[in-house]
Amino acid sequence: MTDADGPDAALDLDRRTGWPDDLRLLIARYPREVWPTHPNLGELSKFWLGRHDMFRELNGALLSASDQLKAGTVPAEAFRQWFLPRIRFFLQQLEGHHMIEDHEYFPLLTRTEPRLARGFDILENDHEAIHAGLLALQEAGGGLARALTGPPDRIGFAAEAMSDTLSGFLTRLHRHLDDEEDLIIPILLDRGEMALGG
Ligand SMILES: [Fe+2]
Ligand SMILES: [Fe+2]
């Protein structure tokens, strides 16, 4: 855990723009360009990167649908049927993904590469910040679901609240996923997937 006002405050999810030099130890040796063809990029890494891409795409698609509702270019009922199950899926899957990382992957990887331990503390801290964002999304989702069955003038306000919440969430999620990949994939390329028991 990092203290919001402690020495790592500059590396807070909302403030950092990537990893500082001491946490770029392995990404400097294994830049993104070498990942796709590296022999140590195994099935587990590809699956995990695929999950991240799914979260990025789904967040983007939810935002774009919410923007369409806000602009009045999609019928409310069609939106409701498309949007509500997908945001529920997004919230559940992301929550589960973070739990596996916090309880299984991060401790294993910290033991594998203790020099990057501070990075995993920061990522765990990100999960707490993102969890607060998930609760805000859940609340906005509840407000939107109620508005969709009420008078039409309420829909625009609820859609605007949802778009704002999703947009802020997307920015933070991208930062987190990019940095997480930059920390973890180089460890797996360096040591092989045995580092995760894969
Ligand atoms: Fe994560
Ligand atoms: Fe992740």
Side-chain angles (χ1 to χ4, degrees), residues 4-5 36 169:
D5 298 309
F169 193 86

Side-chain angles (χ1 to χ4, degrees), residues 48 52 97-98 101-102 106 123 126-127 130 176-177 180:
W48 183 74
H52 280 190
H97 179 78
H98 286 176
E101 289 178 344
D102 285 341
F106 289 2
L123 291 174
D126 287 356
H127 287 176
I130 291 171
H176 173 71
L177 296 176
E180 193 169 83

Side-chain angles (χ1 to χ4, degrees), residues 96-134:
H97 179 78
H98 286 176
M99 276 181 68
I100 294 171
E101 289 178 344
D102 285 341
H103 298 294
E104 295 183 30
Y105 291 173
F106 289 2
L108 273 167
L109 287 158
T110 303
R111 282 199 292 277
T112 304
E113 184 46 274
R115 291 175 299 174
L116 298 178
R118 191 164 69 105
F120 288 104
D121 285 344
I122 293 162
L123 291 174
E124 212 177 310
N125 217 40
D126 287 356
H127 287 176
E128 287 184 30
I130 291 171
H131 183 75
L134 287 174

Side-chain angles (χ1 to χ4, degrees), residues 3-167:
D3 182 339
D5 298 309
D8 278 339
L11 296 178
D12 189 82
L13 182 58
D14 290 324
R15 293 165 78 176
R16 68 174 189 266
T17 53
W19 293 121
D21 285 348
D22 61 310
L23 294 173
R24 296 189 54 78
L25 195 69
L26 289 180
I27 184 73
R29 280 167 53 196
Y30 300 95
R32 280 183 177 261
E33 307 82 81
V34 309
W35 297 1
T37 54
H38 196 287
N40 279 353
L41 190 85
E43 290 308 312
L44 186 63
S45 305
K46 287 177 192 162
F47 172 78
W48 183 74
L49 287 169
R51 296 289 288 169
H52 280 190
D53 283 341
M54 184 274 282
F55 289 128
R56 290 180 179 102
E57 280 166 28
L58 189 50
N59 195 338
L62 289 165
L63 176 57
S64 133
S66 179
D67 283 345
Q68 284 175 46
L69 183 71
K70 191 172 77 175
T73 57
V74 62
E77 180 54 24
F79 172 86
R80 194 182 68 79
Q81 285 184 25
W82 185 91
F83 188 88
L84 294 182
R86 281 170 180 78
I87 193 163
R88 212 173 297 127
F89 173 83
F90 179 72
L91 298 176
Q92 285 167 354
Q93 294 293 310
L94 194 55
E95 186 92 53
H97 179 78
H98 286 176
M99 276 181 68
I100 294 171
E101 289 178 344
D102 285 341
H103 298 294
E104 295 183 30
Y105 291 173
F106 289 2
L108 273 167
L109 287 158
T110 303
R111 282 199 292 277
T112 304
E113 184 46 274
R115 291 175 299 174
L116 298 178
R118 191 164 69 105
F120 288 104
D121 285 344
I122 293 162
L123 291 174
E124 212 177 310
N125 217 40
D126 287 356
H127 287 176
E128 287 184 30
I130 291 171
H131 183 75
L134 287 174
L135 295 178
L137 273 179
Q138 207 166 22
E139 203 177 298
L144 187 55
R146 282 190 298 278
L148 283 165
T149 55
D153 58 316
R154 294 234 183 119
I155 296 178
F157 289 111
E160 191 167 350
M162 176 54 85
S163 282
D164 288 349
T165 312
L166 277 169
S167 167

